[in-house]
Amino acid sequence: MSEFLALFSAMWKESWRDKISTFFSIAFPVMFLLIFGFLFGGSGNSVKTAVVTVDYDLSDFGDVYTSLEELKGYYHEVAVVEKERIIFIRNTTDEYYQSLLDSWEISLKNKVTRLLNGLNPVIMVKKEVLKAARELTSFDYTLTGVIAVSLLSIGLFGTVDVFSRYRERGFLKRLKATPVGNFSFVFGLISARMFYGILSTALIMLLGTLIFKASYELNVFLFLISVVSSVLSFIVLGALISILFKKSDVATNVAVILFTIMMFLTGVYFPVSFLPDYLKVVSLFLPVKYGVELIRYSLGFEIFPFSRYIVTAVIMFIAGLLFVFYTASLVLRKED
């Protein structure tokens, strides 16, 4: 136990001493959170509209009044419907709302046209709100992406730095002459990264709550499972890079390139559905995609069957654990 605690303490201190790992794990995600939060933090709101009319039933297009004098409160746009024309009064210059109001105008025009011509819609659409679901805003999507980026950098850069730099300095060779076994060394590394990941995500979520009033339907148990499974799978990527590229500078550069690619191909900042078909196939083989899904599910931002969550988490955890020790043993074996 004392051996594990000593290794855990050493790896924990090493995590904070490594400037590259600390930047990509803490500073970089927080920077993205602040930038995207201030830019898009309010973009999840809906428009507020009103209709002034006495001749038609347009109650499904917002608040309905019989005269302009009856309007109360702030409206982004008001439509005055007369017998032969519609007068739109728009009360906002916010670019985000412009496209929403354009769509509202077209829908209103189409309905009034059908009413004037005595036409009934061929298909009636009934809208029902799912009580178990919550609306995902653009900031919620960004927040979960920032958490995934933080965990990715913790697993990726931290492992590359430890294995590559320790190998260059001859630390791994000296390790073979000590009573510390490979299992203890790797377990100490994993444990420190896990704790580091929990601390980083807690900081990001705290900033999201304090600055941008974010709210979560947090399942603590599932969230911890998501963090552990994600970090394990990301550590594998770092260990593989350490095997393929012996020089620490080269390994770090490769990790940065891979990190950048995965940010844009795995649904971190925008849905995978936006990608071309051939890139969607590539994203299926990147563990970050599944890590993001697990995190969003545990925070109440993603809805899919619980069985899918369990299967994904178990596969990532078991496969990650096996590959971590296998790749780590390869790195250490090369020092014999």
Side-chain angles (χ1 to χ4, degrees):
M1 186 66 180
S2 58
E3 179 184 287
F4 165 73
L5 292 177
L7 286 169
F8 175 84
S9 177
M11 293 297 179
W12 173 253
K13 293 176 182 178
E14 176 68 23
S15 300
W16 289 100
R17 289 171 183 163
D18 179 20
K19 295 180 180 179
I20 294 179
S21 179
T22 302
F23 172 77
F24 280 102
S25 302
I26 303 293
F28 184 76
V30 169
M31 180 180 66
F32 260 76
L33 177 69
L34 295 176
I35 292 174
F36 282 95
F38 284 117
L39 286 177
F40 306 113
S43 61
N45 300 326
S46 58
V47 295
K48 188 176 180 182
T49 57
V51 178
V52 177
T53 180
V54 293
D55 298 318
Y56 308 106
D57 179 16
L58 299 172
S59 58
D60 54 339
F61 279 90
D63 297 327
V64 179
Y65 299 92
T66 57
S67 67
L68 284 172
E69 287 74 18
E70 294 183 62
L71 290 176
K72 297 178 181 179
Y74 172 79
Y75 292 92
H76 293 93
E77 186 166 17
V78 175
V80 182
V81 181
E82 300 179 352
K83 289 186 177 181
E84 297 180 353
R85 64 177 182 172
I86 303 176
I87 301 173
F88 291 101
I89 306 172
R90 190 168 293 191
N91 190 28
T92 180
T93 58
D94 193 320
E95 292 186 3
Y96 168 74
Y97 294 110
Q98 301 305 319
S99 60
L100 298 178
L101 293 173
D102 289 341
S103 299
W104 181 74
E105 288 183 5
I106 294 174
S107 299
L108 185 60
K109 290 176 184 177
N110 290 337
K111 183 168 185 178
V112 172
T113 299
R114 290 196 302 269
L115 290 172
L116 287 173
N117 294 308
L119 300 176
N120 294 319
V122 178
I123 300 176
M124 298 296 294
V125 179
K126 182 180 179 181
K127 298 182 180 179
E128 294 184 0
V129 178
L130 297 176
K131 300 298 182 182
R134 58 164 294 175
E135 183 180 358
L136 181 65
T137 67
S138 59
F139 178 73
D140 294 332
Y141 203 88
T142 300
L143 176 68
T144 51
V146 169
I147 293 175
V149 166
S150 178
L151 297 179
L152 172 61
S153 59
I154 288 170
L156 184 63
F157 293 106
T159 310
V160 167
D161 178 73
V162 169
F163 283 155
S164 299
R165 188 156 53 85
Y166 280 15
R167 180 169 51 196
E168 281 189 354
R169 295 182 178 182
F171 175 81
L172 297 181
K173 286 185 177 181
R174 293 194 295 270
L175 180 67
K176 303 295 291 185
T178 68
V180 178
N182 294 352
F183 178 85
S184 299
F185 175 76
V186 177
F187 190 61
L189 170 64
I190 292 175
S191 301
R193 294 298 165 188
M194 295 298 178
F195 195 75
Y196 197 68
I198 294 173
L199 179 64
S200 174
T201 54
L203 174 62
I204 292 170
M205 294 172 64
L206 179 63
L207 290 175
T209 302
L210 295 177
I211 301 177
F212 303 108
K213 310 301 180 182
S215 60
Y216 320 101
E217 296 177 3
L218 175 63
N219 186 311
V220 177
F221 180 69
L222 294 183
F223 183 73
L224 291 177
I225 291 177
S226 303
V227 171
V228 171
S229 302
S230 299
V231 173
L232 269 177
S233 61
F234 302 157
I235 287 176
V236 174
L237 296 176
L240 287 174
I241 292 175
S242 299
I243 293 174
L244 297 175
F245 304 94
K246 295 182 178 180
K247 292 186 177 181
S248 60
D249 292 341
V250 177
T252 300
N253 290 334
V254 172
V256 170
I257 295 173
L258 185 61
F259 175 84
T260 305
I261 292 174
M262 287 191 291
M263 277 205 309
F264 295 101
L265 297 185
T266 55
V268 169
Y269 293 123
F270 54 84
V272 176
S273 58
F274 288 3
L275 298 174
D277 291 338
Y278 67 94
L279 289 181
K280 290 179 184 177
V281 175
V282 174
S283 69
L284 296 176
F285 297 93
L286 300 176
V288 184
K289 174 182 182 296
Y290 305 102
V292 173
E293 291 179 354
L294 294 183
I295 292 168
R296 287 183 177 140
Y297 184 91
S298 63
L299 291 176
F301 294 160
E302 188 84 56
I303 299 176
F304 50 76
F306 181 67
S307 57
R308 174 181 165 185
Y309 174 89
I310 292 297
V311 170
T312 304
V314 169
I315 291 176
M316 289 181 68
F317 180 83
I318 295 178
L321 195 63
L322 292 176
F323 276 100
V324 162
F325 281 99
Y326 175 70
T327 53
S329 65
L330 286 180
V331 174
L332 297 171
R333 191 183 307 162
K334 291 177 180 294
E335 304 302 314
D336 291 338

